[in-house]
């Protein structure tokens, strides 16, 4: 990327006296100087790019190991820079205009974890008092829960976020210091484009030869490399974003290569301008486009198009690409997209047709509501997994939103106006740097700025609809692009203002910075080390829980699996005491272990019975309760104390954990037989999880035990909208006492809930009530099917047909099947069910037509072939005209007509 400027030489001469960017020294020696220290400046671009590649290969940096690698790499780059400064006799500092904004963002995160006076919190975060009422009440003091004194609702997570943020800020600063001249910037952009397109090639190769495993070696039970390209990332959107971030610089690189060849004409071409690099780079770009398409990422595809269009238009306006070349680039992109669309149109179409299949709109609205409730400094970086429950409406799918599905909205909800403003200004500053370079920079610098601008606009568009910036590999790529833009800006703007591009720096600063770096590095590593150590046992626990042995297990095998899960969860919780989920998991294991040990010791009092007996007794003090429990449980009572202390530790770490308060409420009888502590804990659970199904079900059951049925119904109506698990619990609790019409009137069940109710009434042996539910379910499903316009119409008809089949009315079942086939004429199940029904009703001609259609579609299905043969044989025996031929429903081959 070092060709002579193709045009605009009058602009260059205008400021020739004040601008000499190519000869700028940063204190590490001039470009190409043999005296340049090897420690940092000479290989900084390669080191930073290799660092990003390593993070990308470790699952994009999303795991604790990847985050630790990020911190260690950032510390290594910083140490290398300090060594380089020390080795120079006259070290210098390169101005980095964006560093002040970065430090301001770090101060926001630091402010979130600092203990603040209550008067400050009342102004900064006034909603905390209503979210954490227990922490300022007398009951909270009895539990050792002092008034919450910081902005963040999860200080441990916010400290980890501060560590990651600080590492990225260090990478930005050291990268800027290592870019001595514009040639260094171009080299960095070439390397960034290379690792991005290299990841694209790896992703395409892994997809083409997929065996479900990442790197063909590592297996993830929840993910597969078979269905879409994902590279080394667990999330295909992050893979697509990583590739897109390199497309802008790659297009600028390609434009410069073209200009090299155009300038040399018939002269001997230098190696850099030979046809081979052009062909390789063009092929790599095509592979990058293909990789984004194969990821089936909708936002990734759109951001890729933004990058291509912005880079092409910018390079055309700067004179680096003729219009015909830009059109050719657009044509190549269009051809790749067109070929992919022809081969995978159904997949691509279905992905874009279901834009909200993951509830993105709901979680976006939730984050906006959280940001409005905590407007100034948010709820704390890293708190989204718990904080979004404060405003999330009940969801039937039971999905947990680990992220906001939008980096911009998550920044707004977690850091408030302070963090969002700093982030917006930082992004606009990067765009401003590119704009200044495009207007006043050298020709090559303008080309590079076009590539940077294209990628920054593309990543901003993608971040608006996905959480791509929370992936360290993608964030580091943005940091490198921002550093390149910053250095191009200083090389362009500072000489125009007669200001130096570097400033002398005393070596004493190096001596002062070294111990500071050691202390900061120690803090950062210490903060992340527990998560790294706890990751293996916690991952093994999740695998044993959700991907355990299939099939029926013997009692011995089930007990051994349970004990294995207990050991793994306990090890993870003991290693990382700042992980509330593992603490809560171990607490539930303790309660289960208490019941098992009670049964093994021959004691009849389970935890539930102990609790019921104590809450219904006349104990006047906690000491009396504990003495009686000690008599009934013996040494097993210590498990109840362990449960209490473990759960209390989880609450102190993350006070928004609603289920932890429920566990404490169940154990409250050991510490307060009057019930006041239990009531305060339940109110606290409701404050942090107002629409959570489990919390509402628990509160409804407590209200029922207190004899307040209207209040119980109020809680259960909200819990009923929380998914199948809560619906089944409520139905099993009430189906024996109330008729079907009660559920229809009070809970207004949707189609899936009606099926759950039908199953529960059948289990309760209330057949007439079950039939009433099935009738409503069949009608509801048919109505939804008639109104649906997408692929879900088939699902609705399946539910309607299944309900009619269970009701046993053959006329209504046949009518539903025929109407379903009018909407879904190629559905095999509908044809087979109709054929079997007609065969049962001795309509052999109709049965033969339907079953033969099925037999031609599944030629290896012996059962279907036998049914079709039986129907066809009986249809020949019927006298002509005895059975009216049914109306033809499909375009499939009919059954053979009798001669």
């Amino acid at each position: 990327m070092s060709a002579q400027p193709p045009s605009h030489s009058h602009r260059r001469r205008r400021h020739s006296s004040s601008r000499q960017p190519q000869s700028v020294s940063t204190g590490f020696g001039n470009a190409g100087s043999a005296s340049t220290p090897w420690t940092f400046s000479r290989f900084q671009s390669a080191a930073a790019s290799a660092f990003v590649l390593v993070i990308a290969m470790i699952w994009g940096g999303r795991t604790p190991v990847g985050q630790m690698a990020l911190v260690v790499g950032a510390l290594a780059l910083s140490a290398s820079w300090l060594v380089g400064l020390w080795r120079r006799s006259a070290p210098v500092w390169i101005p980095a205009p964006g560093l002040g904004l970065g430090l301001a963002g770090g101060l926001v995160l630091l402010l979130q974890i600092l203990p603040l006076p209550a008067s400050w919190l009342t102004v900064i975060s006034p909603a905390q008092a209503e979210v954490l009422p227990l922490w300022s009440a007398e009951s909270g003091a009895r539990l050792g829960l002092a008034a919450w004194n910081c902005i963040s609702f999860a200080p441990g997570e916010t400290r980890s976020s501060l560590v990651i943020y600080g590492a990225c800020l260090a990478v930005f600063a050291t990268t800027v210091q290592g870019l001595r001249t514009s040639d260094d910037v171009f080299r960095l952009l070439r390397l960034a484009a290379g690792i991005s397109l290299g990841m694209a090639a790896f992703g395409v190769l892994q997809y083409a030869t997929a065996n479900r495993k990442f790197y063909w070696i590592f297996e993830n039970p929840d993910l597969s490399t078979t269905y879409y390209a994902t590279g080394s990332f667990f999330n295909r959107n992050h893979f697509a974003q990583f590739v897109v971030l390199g497309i802008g610089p790659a297009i600028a690189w390609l434009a410069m290569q073209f200009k090299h060849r155009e300038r040399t004409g018939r002269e001997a071409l230098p190696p850099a301008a030979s046809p081979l690099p052009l062909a390789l780079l063009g092929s790599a770009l095509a592979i990058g486009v293909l990789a984004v398409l194969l990821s089936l990422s909708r936002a990734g595809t759109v951001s890729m198009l933004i990058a291509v269009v912005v880079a092409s238009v910018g390079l055309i306006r700067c004179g680096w690409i003729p219009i015909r070349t830009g059109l050719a680039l657009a044509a190549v992109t269009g051809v790749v997209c067109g070929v992919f669309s022809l081969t995978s149109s159904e997949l691509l179409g279905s992905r874009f047709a279901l834009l909200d299949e993951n509830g993105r709109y709901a979680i976006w609205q939730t984050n906006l509501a959280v940001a409005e409730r905590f407007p100034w400094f948010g709820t704390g970086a890293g708190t989204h997994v718990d904080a979004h429950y404060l405003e999330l409406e009940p969801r039937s799918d039971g999905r947990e939103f680990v992220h906001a599905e939008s980096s911009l909205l998550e920044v707004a909800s977690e850091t408030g106006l302070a963090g969002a403003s700093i982030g917006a200004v930082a992004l606009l500053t990067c765009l401003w740097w590119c704009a200044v370079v495009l207007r006043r920079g050298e020709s090559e610098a303008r080309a590079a700025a076009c590539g940077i601008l294209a990628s920054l606009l593309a990543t901003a568009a993608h971040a608006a609809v996905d959480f791509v910036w929370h992936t360290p590999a993608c964030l580091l790529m943005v940091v490198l692009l921002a550093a390149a833009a910053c250095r191009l800006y200083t090389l362009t703007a500072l000489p125009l203002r007669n200001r130096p591009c570097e400033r002398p720096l005393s070596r004493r600063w190096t001596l002062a910075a070294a111990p500071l770096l050691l202390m900061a590095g120690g803090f950062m590593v210490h903060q992340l080390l527990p998560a790294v150590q706890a990751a293996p046992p916690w991952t093994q626990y999740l695998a044993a829980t959700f991907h355990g042995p299939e099939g029926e297990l013997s009692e011995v095998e089930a007990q051994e699996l349970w004990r294995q899960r207990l050991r793994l969860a306990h090890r993870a919780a003991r290693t990382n005491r700042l992980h509330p989920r593992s603490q809560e998991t171990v607490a539930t294991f303790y309660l289960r272990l208490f019941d098992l040990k009670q049964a093994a010791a021959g004691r009849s009092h389970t935890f539930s019975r102990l609790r019921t007996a104590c809450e219904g007794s006349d104990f006047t003090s906690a000491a009396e309760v504990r003495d009686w429990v000690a008599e009934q449980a013996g040494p097993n009572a210590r498990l109840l104390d362990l449960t209490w202390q473990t759960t209390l530790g989880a609450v102190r770490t993350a006070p928004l954990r609603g289920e932890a308060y429920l566990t404490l409420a169940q154990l409250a009888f050991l510490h307060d037989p009057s019930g006041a502590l239990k009531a305060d804990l339940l109110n606290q659970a409701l404050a942090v999880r107002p629409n959570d199904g489990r919390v509402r079900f628990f509160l409804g059951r407590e209200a029922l035990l207190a004899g307040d049925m209207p209040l119980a119904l109020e809680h259960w109506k909200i819990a009923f909208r929380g998914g199948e698990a809560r619906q089944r619990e409520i139905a099993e609790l009430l189906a024996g006492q109330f008729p079907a019409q009660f559920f229809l009137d009070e809970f207004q069940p949707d189609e899936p809930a009606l099926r759950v109710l039908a199953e529960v009434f059948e289990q309760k042996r209330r057949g007439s009530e079950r039939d009433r539910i099935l009738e409503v379910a069949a009608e509801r499903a048919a109505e939804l099917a008639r109104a649906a316009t997408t692929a879900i119409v088939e699902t609705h008809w399946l539910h309607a047909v299944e309900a009619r089949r269970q009701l046993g009315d053959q006329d209504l079942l046949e009518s539903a099947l025929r109407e379903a086939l009018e909407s879904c004429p190629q559905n095999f199940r509908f044809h087979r069910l109709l054929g079997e029904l007609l065969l049962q009703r001795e309509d052999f001609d109709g049965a033969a037509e339907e079953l033969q259609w099925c037999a031609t579609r599944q030629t290896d299905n012996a059962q279907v072939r036998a049914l079709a043969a039986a129907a066809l044989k009986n249809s020949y025996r019927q006298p002509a005209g005895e059975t009216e031929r049914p109306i033809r429903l499909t375009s499939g081959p009919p059954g053979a007509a009798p001669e």
Side-chain angles (χ1 to χ4, degrees):
M1 301 171 78
S2 57
Q4 295 295 323
S7 58
H8 309 287
S9 58
H10 61 285
R11 290 187 181 178
R12 194 177 74 244
R13 287 196 301 271
R14 181 178 178 182
H15 302 287
S16 59
S17 61
S18 61
R19 184 165 31 159
Q20 298 291 336
Q22 294 295 334
S23 60
V24 172
S25 172
T26 64
F28 298 108
N30 294 332
S33 172
S35 62
T36 302
W38 65 269
T39 53
F40 179 76
S41 61
R42 215 173 194 180
F43 306 106
Q44 192 279 334
S45 297
S49 302
F51 170 48
V52 175
L53 179 61
V54 169
I55 300 301
M57 299 301 282
I58 308 176
W59 322 122
R62 288 288 304 279
T63 63
V65 174
Q67 293 174 0
M68 180 64 80
L70 167 62
V71 169
V72 172
L75 292 174
L77 286 177
S78 302
S80 178
W81 172 55
L82 289 178
V83 172
L85 286 178
W86 175 255
R87 294 187 61 185
R88 295 301 304 171
S89 58
V92 297
W93 169 265
I94 296 177
L99 194 56
L101 279 173
L103 292 174
L107 287 177
V108 171
L109 297 182
L110 183 61
L111 181 63
Q112 289 184 333
I113 59 177
L114 290 177
L116 299 176
S119 57
W120 289 27
L121 285 174
T122 303
V123 177
I124 294 175
S125 186
Q128 272 199 9
E130 62 184 74
V131 171
L132 299 177
L134 177 68
W135 293 74
S136 57
E138 181 182 351
S139 297
R142 291 171 57 187
L143 295 175
L145 303 178
W148 195 255
N149 60 358
C150 64
I151 295 173
S152 174
F153 286 112
E157 291 295 331
T158 305
R159 281 195 296 270
S160 298
S161 300
L162 178 60
V163 167
I164 300 300
Y165 181 86
C168 292
L169 192 61
V171 173
F172 172 82
T174 55
T175 301
V176 171
Q177 299 309 306
L179 301 177
R180 304 184 305 275
T181 66
S182 57
D183 282 339
D184 294 331
V185 178
F186 304 152
R187 186 180 305 111
L188 175 65
L189 293 178
R190 287 197 298 267
L191 290 170
I195 62 175
S196 175
L197 298 180
M199 177 60 69
F202 168 69
V204 172
L205 178 62
Q206 183 176 251
Y207 174 76
T209 60
N211 62 348
R212 294 187 56 88
K213 300 178 181 179
F214 288 85
Y215 299 110
W216 302 279
I217 299 175
F218 303 105
E219 185 173 6
N220 188 315
D222 298 316
L223 301 169
S224 172
T225 60
T226 304
Y227 307 109
Y228 41 77
T230 186
S232 60
F233 293 78
F234 288 150
N235 189 301
R236 56 183 166 191
N237 296 304
H238 302 161
F239 166 72
Q241 174 63 188
F242 190 81
V243 175
V244 168
L245 284 168
I247 285 182
I251 293 176
W253 185 8
L254 184 64
M256 290 187 175
Q257 292 290 334
F258 270 117
K259 188 60 68 174
H260 276 292
R261 292 184 56 80
E262 188 176 301
R263 287 274 161 198
T264 52
R266 295 184 179 181
E267 300 176 5
L269 295 175
S274 65
L276 183 59
L278 273 176
L280 291 177
L281 186 54
S283 301
L285 266 173
I287 292 175
V289 172
L290 179 61
V292 174
L293 294 173
L294 287 174
S295 71
L296 297 182
S297 171
R298 296 162 302 208
T301 302
V302 173
S303 63
M304 176 194 67
L305 295 176
I306 291 174
V308 172
V309 170
V310 172
S312 301
V313 172
L315 290 168
I316 289 173
R317 289 182 61 85
C318 292
W320 276 99
I321 293 181
I323 294 180
R324 64 179 183 276
T325 305
L327 294 176
L329 183 62
V332 171
T333 304
V335 168
V336 174
C337 295
V339 171
F340 180 80
S341 298
L342 290 176
T343 56
S344 305
S345 59
E346 185 176 350
L347 281 174
L348 198 62
S350 62
R351 285 285 295 159
F352 276 91
L354 300 175
L355 291 176
D356 192 37
E357 82 279 14
N358 290 328
R360 290 177 185 267
Y361 299 154
I363 194 59
W364 291 346
Q365 294 171 356
T366 297
N367 274 266
L368 287 173
V370 172
E372 291 176 1
R373 195 170 180 182
F374 300 89
W376 304 116
F377 289 92
T379 59
T383 61
H384 178 273
V385 68
D386 292 325
H388 77 278
Y389 282 108
L390 293 171
E391 300 291 339
L392 184 68
E393 292 296 321
R395 292 183 59 83
S396 59
D397 57 8
R399 185 186 176 203
E400 181 182 45
F401 291 93
V402 180
H403 290 283
E405 304 296 344
S406 169
S407 292
L408 304 184
L409 289 178
E410 186 159 340
V411 168
S413 64
E414 290 186 347
T415 61
L417 284 174
S421 301
I422 292 172
V425 172
L427 178 60
L428 292 175
T429 300
C430 292
L431 300 180
W432 169 252
W433 291 337
C434 295
V436 170
V437 175
L438 285 172
R439 187 172 69 252
R440 295 188 173 184
E442 297 287 346
S443 183
E444 286 183 336
R446 292 201 302 273
C450 286
I452 297 172
L453 180 64
S455 290
L456 289 179
L457 288 175
T459 190
H462 198 166
V465 296
D466 207 344
F467 61 106
V468 290
W469 290 348
H470 291 74
T471 302
C474 295
L475 184 59
L476 282 174
M477 281 289 286
V478 174
V479 167
L480 292 188
L481 293 176
C486 177
R487 188 56 180 142
L488 284 178
Y489 169 79
T490 55
L491 288 171
T492 299
L494 295 184
L496 292 176
R497 301 172 186 171
N498 293 320
R499 295 173 62 183
C501 292
E502 57 189 28
R503 297 171 185 173
L505 188 66
S506 173
R507 295 183 69 187
R508 287 178 296 180
W509 285 102
T510 307
L511 295 176
L516 291 177
L517 180 63
L518 287 176
M519 289 189 294
F523 167 76
M524 297 166 80
V525 172
H526 176 74
Q527 181 63 35
L528 296 183
L529 188 59
V532 174
Q533 295 174 333
W538 183 248
T539 303
Q540 294 170 19
Y541 162 77
L542 294 177
T545 302
F546 299 105
H547 304 281
E550 298 181 357
E552 293 287 338
L553 296 178
S554 65
E555 184 176 352
V556 175
E557 292 173 335
Q559 289 183 359
E560 179 57 32
L561 178 61
W562 186 86
R563 294 182 183 277
Q564 177 191 4
R565 292 167 54 201
L566 170 59
R567 288 192 296 268
L568 292 170
H570 184 267
R571 193 186 313 163
R574 183 182 56 189
T575 305
N576 185 10
R577 299 189 181 277
L578 296 179
H579 188 217
R581 188 174 177 183
S582 62
Q583 306 292 327
E584 293 175 27
T585 301
V586 170
T588 60
F589 273 115
Y590 285 154
L591 287 181
R592 174 61 178 156
L593 186 61
F594 174 84
D595 287 345
L596 291 176
K597 285 185 174 293
Q598 285 285 93
R603 298 187 175 97
S604 60
H605 281 81
T606 62
F607 170 71
S608 178
R609 290 182 178 178
L610 280 176
R611 177 191 167 206
T612 303
C614 290
E615 291 180 344
S617 66
D618 296 328
F619 290 122
T620 58
S621 67
E624 294 179 8
V625 174
R626 297 181 69 83
D627 290 341
W628 183 80
V629 169
E631 292 178 4
Q632 302 301 320
N636 297 332
R638 67 183 181 84
L639 290 172
L640 300 182
D641 293 331
L642 282 174
T643 304
W644 176 266
Q645 295 299 331
T646 304
T647 309
L648 203 57
V651 166
R652 288 170 178 157
T653 302
L656 298 185
R657 302 293 296 182
E659 294 188 2
Y661 293 111
L662 297 184
T663 303
L664 291 175
Q666 294 181 71
L667 292 163
F669 70 92
L670 293 170
H671 304 269
D672 180 20
S674 69
L677 176 60
K678 174 183 175 182
D680 288 342
L681 286 166
L682 292 178
N683 288 333
Q684 179 61 71
L686 184 61
V688 298
R689 298 284 177 97
N691 295 315
D692 183 78
R694 186 167 184 265
V695 171
R696 287 287 185 168
F697 175 77
F698 190 92
L699 290 172
R701 190 171 59 184
E702 294 298 315
L704 180 64
L705 292 175
D708 194 344
M709 186 61 182
L711 180 59
L713 278 177
E714 181 181 341
H715 289 303
W716 285 337
K717 286 178 182 179
I718 298 175
F720 197 82
R721 302 201 301 270
E724 180 180 343
R726 304 288 85 81
Q727 292 164 0
R728 192 174 297 277
E729 286 179 334
I730 295 171
E732 290 176 349
L733 187 64
L734 302 179
Q737 306 173 35
F738 296 94
Q741 194 61 43
F742 169 82
F743 288 90
L744 297 176
D745 294 338
E746 296 292 339
F747 295 102
Q748 300 294 317
D750 58 8
E751 182 192 359
L754 288 169
R755 296 196 300 273
V756 172
L757 290 175
E759 292 177 10
V760 173
F761 273 108
E762 185 173 8
Q763 293 171 1
K764 298 290 184 180
R765 301 182 182 277
R766 301 187 66 183
S768 60
E769 302 297 333
R770 185 210 69 157
D771 292 347
R772 173 74 180 113
I773 295 290
L774 287 175
E775 185 69 33
V776 175
E779 295 174 358
R780 186 81 53 82
E783 291 174 1
L784 292 172
R786 296 184 189 106
T789 57
T790 61
I792 60 175
V793 63
E794 188 170 337
T795 302
H796 288 314
W797 276 122
L798 282 171
H799 294 157
V801 167
E802 180 62 23
R804 291 297 181 192
R805 190 186 66 80
Q806 292 183 41
L807 284 169
D809 190 321
Q810 294 187 348
D811 291 334
L812 292 177
L813 175 58
E814 181 178 350
S815 176
L817 283 168
R818 292 189 184 279
E819 190 174 357
L821 282 170
E822 289 178 2
S823 301
C824 312
Q826 299 301 317
N827 186 283
F828 179 86
R829 178 171 174 78
F830 293 158
H831 280 285
R832 177 171 178 175
L833 286 175
L834 181 57
E836 292 178 351
L837 175 63
L838 294 176
L839 185 61
Q840 184 180 358
R841 304 185 72 177
E842 298 186 355
D843 183 356
F844 299 115
D845 283 354
E849 182 176 358
E850 299 300 332
L851 292 172
Q852 256 200 317
W853 185 95
C854 295
T856 58
R857 265 62 179 180
Q858 293 188 3
T859 56
D860 58 341
N861 193 324
Q863 187 177 10
V864 170
R865 291 204 316 270
L867 290 172
L872 190 62
K873 180 179 179 181
N874 283 280
S875 68
Y876 285 150
R877 294 175 179 175
Q878 282 189 341
E882 180 175 318
T883 303
E884 182 180 353
R885 295 288 293 179
I887 298 175
R888 180 172 172 74
L889 298 176
T890 72
S891 58
E899 295 293 339

